[in-house]
Amino acid sequence: MSAPQVSSGRAGRLAAVLTAPGRSRTPENSAAFRLAVLGAVMTAAVAVTVAGVIEGPVSLVVLLVMPTAFWFSWERRAKNNGWLTTFFTAIAAIAFFDLILELGAVSNPEAARYPLAKLFLLVQLIHSHDLTARRDLYFSLGSSLVLMAVAGSISQDLAFGVALCIYGVFASTALVLGHRSELAEGSVASFSPRRIGASRISREVVRATLVA
């Protein structure tokens, strides 16, 4: 199966979306929803590692730091994180610049999947420190889907099938819990002009995935 061609420009646009400061900042208070998204993200990280897309040490650092990042964003979900968003956006910009340098040394277009996967994983890690709103969690879920797609385009054994089954459980659970959390906001949220419906969120996740 041939890998989808992903340009650095598209990767940059997704990175900008994930770290954009102008998002809705209504705190997401469902711990179960956050845990399901964390499970999906970590499963995707393991999948790209097993497929050989990411080096073991890099993946190990991500898997060790990611739960702490999710806990940190949970603790600060109702606080002003403007300075934190700016800080991590700067780090993402540096990572993207490093990606451009790596892509410049790539002669085979298919080999570009490797530095792009590293960028997605790094942005995922950076973004995990500031998961205030439900929309932030949905974007993390969409980004993890991109990582699974990259792993699937390279993997040639049954290990990916196992990872895909586990990912499917976490991802479907996250979607259900996210929708339940939205419904639990009640009638007050239904009159809020900043409310984002479940169907619209789903379209945005799919759009972010297709852009990648």
Side-chain angles (χ1 to χ4, degrees):
M1 182 183 297
S2 60
Q5 299 301 316
V6 184
S7 68
S8 58
R10 290 177 180 177
R13 286 196 294 272
L14 183 57
V17 166
L18 290 173
T19 54
R23 302 183 305 268
S24 170
R25 308 303 293 176
T26 303
E28 171 55 56
N29 295 314
S30 173
F33 178 33
R34 290 175 178 272
L35 287 174
V37 173
L38 173 61
V41 171
M42 295 188 70
T43 302
V46 171
V48 293
T49 302
V50 173
V53 181
I54 304 296
E55 298 89 347
V58 175
S59 179
L60 181 61
V61 170
V62 171
L63 292 176
L64 289 176
V65 176
M66 190 73 72
T68 303
F70 266 72
W71 171 83
F72 181 82
S73 65
W74 162 260
E75 290 293 319
R76 294 191 57 84
R77 66 190 183 280
K79 299 178 182 179
N80 183 0
N81 295 322
W83 63 273
L84 191 63
T85 301
T86 302
F87 174 71
F88 285 123
T89 299
I91 295 179
I94 294 173
F96 180 66
F97 179 75
D98 183 66
L99 169 70
I100 296 299
L101 295 179
E102 286 193 48
L103 290 177
V106 171
S107 56
N108 182 2
E110 290 196 2
R113 291 176 296 185
Y114 296 88
L116 286 171
K118 289 181 182 179
L119 175 66
F120 272 104
L121 201 55
L122 179 59
V123 170
Q124 186 76 269
L125 183 61
I126 293 172
H127 184 59
S128 296
H129 288 81
D130 188 23
L131 299 174
T132 299
R134 185 179 304 115
R135 184 178 182 182
D136 299 317
L137 291 160
Y138 275 121
F139 274 127
S140 280
L141 191 61
S143 184
S144 70
L145 179 60
V146 174
L147 289 175
M148 290 296 294
V150 172
S153 69
I154 297 174
S155 179
Q156 298 181 354
D157 53 38
L158 294 178
F160 176 74
V162 176
L164 183 61
C165 291
I166 297 174
Y167 177 83
V169 171
F170 280 123
S172 58
T173 301
L175 290 174
V176 171
L177 292 175
H179 183 56
R180 287 183 178 178
S181 177
E182 185 175 6
L183 294 177
E185 290 181 355
S187 58
V188 175
S190 67
F191 290 101
S192 173
R194 302 182 67 179
R195 179 178 179 271
I196 302 176
S199 60
R200 181 181 174 187
I201 282 290
S202 300
R203 290 196 300 269
E204 292 193 19
V205 171
V206 172
R207 187 180 299 114
T209 303
L210 293 177
V211 165

